[in-house]
Amino acid sequence: MAKRERVVRMSVEQPLWRALTGYRVLTMVYAVLLVAFGRDRYERPWIAVVYLTVLCCWTLATLPKVANAASCTKRFLGADLTVALVGILLTPLADAQAQSFDGPTLPSIWTAGSVLAYAIKGGWRWAGVASSLVAVANIVERGHPSRDTFHNVLLVWVASIAIGYVVEVARASERTLARALEIEAATRERERLARDIHDSVLQVLAMVQRRGTALGGEAAELGRMAGEQEVALRTLVAGGLTRPSLVSEDESEGAFVRVVEVDDEPDDDTPVDVRVLLAPRAGSRVTLSEPGAPVLLPQPAARELATAVGAALDNVRVHAGEDAHAWVLIEDWPDEVVVTVRDDGPGIPEGRLAEAWGEGRMGVALSIRGRLRDLGGSAELISVPGQGTEVELKVPRGKAGEK
């Protein structure tokens, strides 16, 4: 089944932007209520009314600007911070007694929203610059630094820088996760291709080499060439699996790219009887034992399981000899399907599988274990020299249809 890759964009920053949007609206309402309930103390209430009218219009009109990182431009951030600073500096003009006690400024805590936008957009450095400008404006507005003023300024400065630092760490984590997901997707695709190559091209080349050597003459030369090509192809496949390359990466702010494999054509999930797929494998040298009732699995899972069983039987024929006998047992359990392939061959010497992997012979690792792993199952191999080999393939029903 041909496959293509679809790119899915995800971002952990989006909840921060949504929270900032709500914060700006709520603090706008809070600033209006502060002025409304304390209007008696303002010597020039019209200044407060005009400023708050501008603040409300600005906040509501710019809500789309704080919806995501792309919309929040540098020009908007500069204008937004200017609105906050102007409101702080206008406070003494509206309230002549503002400098004699530590009362709220006209924008009040709305100013923190402007600083937080800097933190989410540009990280802790941008947050440090914005909070420092707010600190200077507050000191100028008070006329002299008081303990409460210093406390409020320090709180905004530390909080904004901390949030900016957390955002930068989150972005770095996203990039690392994106690379890991890309490597995983590339590796799984290479393993799938390697299994297909092993089950077709490599098997044919190995057969040509054996037959050519047995026939001799010109056929022997063809067999030798087929053997050389088999070794070269195995080396190429093994090298591709051990050195996966990354697909294209998008490191735009606030998003990471996840590569997801999808089929060009959807697989048919109609249940298939595993017994029917394995029945052609039975013969004079292969005994098939099966339950009396159908053993159903989704079609993709059943097909992969049958292919893995075929690879195990091919290994019996190639490594145990033409006279070896194999027994295939199908077991249908409530939570999984188990197929066991056992032979009466000489068995596998200890360390032979690791040696075969080093030589690029990856039939067991890819054609059998790789397929079962992709189905969420497992493949266990038990071999005792002189007593044959047994391969147990397990496919869980819960994950079999998710491939």
Side-chain angles (χ1 to χ4, degrees):
M1 181 70 67
K3 292 189 176 182
R4 58 185 174 85
E5 289 181 344
R6 176 168 54 89
V7 177
V8 180
R9 299 184 63 84
M10 295 179 287
S11 172
V12 298
E13 290 184 26
Q14 198 57 40
L16 295 177
W17 289 110
R18 287 196 292 266
L20 179 61
T21 301
Y23 178 87
R24 288 168 64 89
V25 173
L26 292 177
T27 53
M28 174 198 73
V29 174
Y30 179 73
V32 172
L33 292 177
L34 282 179
V35 173
F37 287 109
R39 61 183 179 277
D40 294 338
R41 77 167 187 269
Y42 288 96
E43 286 78 9
R44 301 179 184 87
W46 64 271
I47 295 180
V49 172
V50 171
Y51 174 77
L52 289 177
T53 302
V54 173
L55 179 67
C56 292
C57 294
W58 172 259
T59 302
L60 297 177
T62 58
L63 288 180
K65 290 291 186 179
V66 290
N68 51 63
S71 302
C72 187
T73 62
K74 294 180 180 179
R75 180 177 298 180
F76 161 74
L77 288 175
D80 195 59
L81 185 61
T82 300
V83 171
L85 297 179
V86 169
I88 294 173
L89 298 176
L90 285 177
T91 301
L93 298 179
D95 182 8
Q97 299 179 358
Q99 294 182 338
S100 62
F101 66 95
D102 290 319
T105 60
L106 290 178
S108 185
I109 57 176
W110 184 92
T111 304
S114 180
V115 176
L116 291 177
Y118 273 83
I120 300 175
K121 173 69 175 181
W124 69 270
R125 294 176 180 83
W126 287 28
V129 172
S131 58
S132 297
L133 293 175
V134 171
V136 171
N138 275 281
I139 293 174
V140 171
E141 183 266 333
R142 295 301 178 192
H144 61 280
S146 65
R147 184 180 63 180
D148 290 340
T149 301
F150 176 78
H151 172 77
N152 294 334
V153 166
L154 183 62
L155 181 62
V156 173
W157 192 74
V158 172
S160 60
I161 289 180
I163 292 176
Y165 178 75
V166 170
V167 169
E168 290 188 358
V169 172
R171 286 174 180 158
S173 300
E174 286 176 344
R175 289 192 291 267
T176 301
L177 179 59
R179 291 190 179 98
L181 292 171
E182 291 165 358
I183 291 174
E184 179 187 5
T187 301
R188 290 172 68 89
E189 178 64 12
R190 284 186 173 87
E191 288 184 355
R192 184 186 67 82
L193 294 175
R195 288 197 298 266
D196 293 342
I197 292 174
H198 177 272
D199 294 341
S200 56
V201 181
L202 292 179
Q203 295 285 8
V204 172
L205 290 175
M207 182 186 68
V208 172
Q209 181 187 19
R210 291 194 303 270
R211 296 292 178 84
T213 302
L215 292 174
E218 295 183 358
E221 177 64 18
L222 292 176
R224 183 189 64 80
M225 295 173 62
E228 292 177 354
Q229 295 303 312
E230 180 194 4
V231 172
L233 186 54
R234 289 185 186 275
T235 303
L236 178 62
V237 171
L241 289 175
T242 55
R243 294 185 297 273
S245 60
L246 292 178
V247 297
S248 61
E249 177 181 2
D250 183 350
E251 295 186 357
S252 60
E253 295 180 355
F256 67 85
V257 176
R258 179 172 182 175
V259 179
V260 182
E261 291 184 356
V262 296
D263 292 339
D264 287 334
E265 298 178 0
D267 286 319
D268 184 4
D269 288 335
T270 303
V272 175
D273 189 353
V274 176
R275 303 178 309 166
V276 175
L277 296 180
L278 295 183
R281 296 285 183 176
S284 59
R285 298 292 180 184
V286 178
T287 300
L288 178 63
S289 300
E290 58 190 34
V295 181
L296 301 178
L297 280 177
Q299 181 176 335
R303 185 173 59 247
E304 289 292 275
L305 176 59
T307 304
V309 172
L313 292 174
D314 290 340
N315 286 336
V316 173
R317 178 179 55 82
V318 173
H319 301 294
E322 296 292 339
D323 296 331
H325 197 96
W327 292 265
V328 178
L329 173 63
I330 304 175
E331 298 176 270
D332 188 10
W333 298 99
D335 57 344
E336 64 182 358
V337 173
V338 181
V339 179
T340 304
V341 180
R342 182 172 59 86
D343 65 69
D344 59 357
I348 302 175
E350 185 177 355
R352 177 54 186 150
L353 290 179
E355 181 182 348
W357 176 269
E359 294 173 354
R361 300 179 180 272
M362 298 168 286
V364 174
L366 294 181
S367 291
I368 301 178
R369 286 177 177 162
R371 279 190 163 89
L372 271 294
R373 184 196 61 214
D374 288 349
L375 296 175
S378 63
E380 298 182 7
L381 187 146
I382 302 174
S383 182
V384 178
Q387 299 183 22
T389 301
E390 180 177 307
V391 180
E392 186 178 63
L393 311 175
K394 296 182 180 180
V395 178
R397 294 188 181 279
K399 298 181 180 180
E402 299 177 3
K403 182 177 179 293

